[in-house]
Amino acid sequence: TLAGSDLDMIGAVRNAVDMLGLPLQDAVMIASAAPAAFLGLATHRGTIAPGMAADLVLLDDQRNVVRTWIDGRG
């Protein structure tokens, strides 16, 4: 098994918060804005702002995914 092969994005966010002690806001930025910038997509993905793609995730208090929107459609 490759390291991380069973790790999804929310799992990575949880690990960053639980194992590294990062604030949730920082862990989410690392999982969204940083990859978008690395992939050259920062002009339309990775942040919440006018004109950006509405890719959003709603989490509950236990950081479980409740709902997602891709390009504003859920």
Side-chain angles (χ1 to χ4, degrees):
T1 302
L2 295 174
S5 65
D6 292 328
L7 183 66
D8 58 10
M9 188 66 74
I10 191 58
V13 168
R14 281 190 208 109
N15 287 349
V17 172
D18 296 341
M19 295 178 181
L20 301 177
L22 290 177
L24 180 60
Q25 179 178 346
D26 292 345
V28 169
M29 188 283 304
I30 291 168
S32 58
F38 176 79
L39 294 171
L41 303 173
T43 59
H44 59 284
R45 296 200 183 280
T47 59
I48 299 172
M52 300 294 277
D55 296 340
L56 305 168
V57 177
L58 174 64
L59 305 177
D60 65 16
D61 291 339
Q62 289 74 44
R63 297 184 309 263
N64 296 307
V65 175
V66 174
R67 186 169 177 197
T68 60
W69 296 265
I70 306 299
D71 287 329
R73 288 175 252 143

